[in-house]
Amino acid sequence: MVSKVEMTISCEGLRDADVFSKSDPICVVYSLEGTRKREIGRTERIDDNLNPKFQKQIVVDYHFEEVQKLAFHLFDIDDNNNDVNKADFLGKCECTLGQIVSASNFKRPLDYLGRTLGSISVQAQEQGGMQKAVTMTLKGVKLDKKDWFGKSDPFLEFHRQLLDGNYALAHRTEFIKNTLNPNWKPMKINTRRLCDNNPDTVIRVECFDWNSNGTHDLIGEFFHYIS
């Protein structure tokens, strides 16, 4: 029996491989098949961030009662082609897909040349069920001013609550420059990703002030439901 599983990936405490800024991490996921390594997918690159929360999910076929070995490799990307062969290695984690699926919030240390540098968290969600979406248009009014020589550059993050009480990133908006009264573009979010098709699942919405160095300032947050 085979099902498709979506994996949401985040990291903390990555190695800083850049001299005048922070690492620009990307996560590449491989299937380990004997002595061979096959790329399954990769996340987006996040600039100047040692604690990235990747929005792009990795989809993989989950074969029940089979041991599927996976490897998560983190790289610091400094070119627009996302060429990992020219990138700085930040660390890796090897595990099985079964370990991820059986844990509500899989978290492991990252190995960097035999040393532990940072950690990786993976949340798995089985595809299937209703393919519905919610459409939202949000705005902010009189947000807190976080920048010294301007206002704020706000963006929103939506997080789905997991069974263990932790949260997984479901959606991130664009940031809007220099305003305390932002109007974000209308967004359409799959309800399976946002609340696991359960309208009573808690959704945490955080508002941040975007900074080019990756250290985004929290402006505020609220909790809501689809129901």
Side-chain angles (χ1 to χ4, degrees):
M1 187 174 178
V2 180
S3 66
K4 288 193 177 294
V5 170
E6 298 170 337
M7 297 187 294
T8 303
I9 302 167
S10 60
C11 297
E12 294 180 346
L14 293 181
R15 185 175 77 90
D16 192 354
D18 291 342
V19 177
F20 299 108
S21 61
K22 297 178 182 178
S23 295
D24 308 314
I26 189 173
C27 182
V28 182
V29 184
Y30 300 97
S31 173
L32 302 180
E33 302 163 355
T35 58
R36 295 187 303 113
K37 176 173 76 172
R38 176 177 61 86
E39 181 176 331
I40 296 174
R42 58 179 63 188
T43 66
E44 77 277 16
R45 181 186 71 184
I46 298 182
D47 293 339
D48 296 314
N49 200 317
L50 303 183
N51 303 287
K53 293 183 289 186
F54 299 103
Q55 182 169 219
K56 182 182 176 182
Q57 294 178 312
I58 305 299
V59 179
V60 60
D61 288 332
Y62 178 41
H63 298 264
F64 293 88
E65 299 183 357
E66 284 188 23
V67 178
Q68 296 171 255
K69 295 182 179 180
L70 301 179
F72 297 81
H73 287 206
L74 278 297
F75 298 94
D76 171 36
I77 298 290
D78 291 321
D79 66 75
N80 293 326
N81 296 321
N82 289 344
D83 186 355
V84 298
N85 295 313
K86 299 178 181 178
D88 292 317
F89 179 63
L90 299 178
K92 67 178 181 179
C93 171
E94 295 184 4
C95 62
T96 67
L97 182 55
Q99 288 175 310
I100 296 173
V101 171
S102 62
S104 59
N105 185 30
F106 177 86
K107 186 173 184 177
R108 291 289 187 277
L110 287 170
D111 175 66
Y112 173 72
L113 304 180
R115 293 185 293 152
T116 296
L117 279 180
S119 64
I120 184 170
S121 296
V122 185
Q123 292 87 33
Q125 184 180 29
E126 185 177 0
Q127 283 188 344
M130 298 180 294
Q131 296 296 316
K132 293 185 177 182
V134 292
T135 300
M136 293 181 282
T137 302
L138 298 180
K139 67 178 182 179
V141 179
K142 296 182 180 179
L143 298 183
D144 192 21
K145 178 179 178 297
K146 294 294 184 181
D147 294 339
W148 283 100
F149 301 106
K151 297 178 181 178
S152 289
D153 308 316
F155 68 93
L156 299 175
E157 286 189 351
F158 296 78
H159 300 262
R160 178 184 77 255
Q161 189 177 45
L162 305 175
L163 293 176
D164 64 356
N166 287 303
Y167 289 85
L169 178 66
H171 183 76
R172 180 186 291 123
T173 70
E174 78 282 7
F175 69 89
I176 302 178
K177 292 287 289 181
N178 198 34
T179 180
L180 302 182
N181 300 285
N183 285 278
W184 290 282
K185 295 178 182 177
M187 60 198 84
K188 188 175 183 180
I189 311 175
N190 187 293
T191 56
R192 185 186 67 247
R193 184 170 186 182
L194 182 62
C195 61
D196 204 16
N197 287 331
N198 180 356
D200 295 322
T201 295
V202 177
I203 300 166
R204 184 176 73 190
V205 184
E206 295 177 309
C207 183
F208 290 94
D209 169 40
W210 179 88
N211 291 308
S212 60
N213 64 4
T215 57
H216 310 309
D217 299 315
L218 179 66
I219 295 175
E221 66 178 2
F222 66 90
F223 298 84
H224 201 55
Y225 307 85
I226 295 297
S227 59

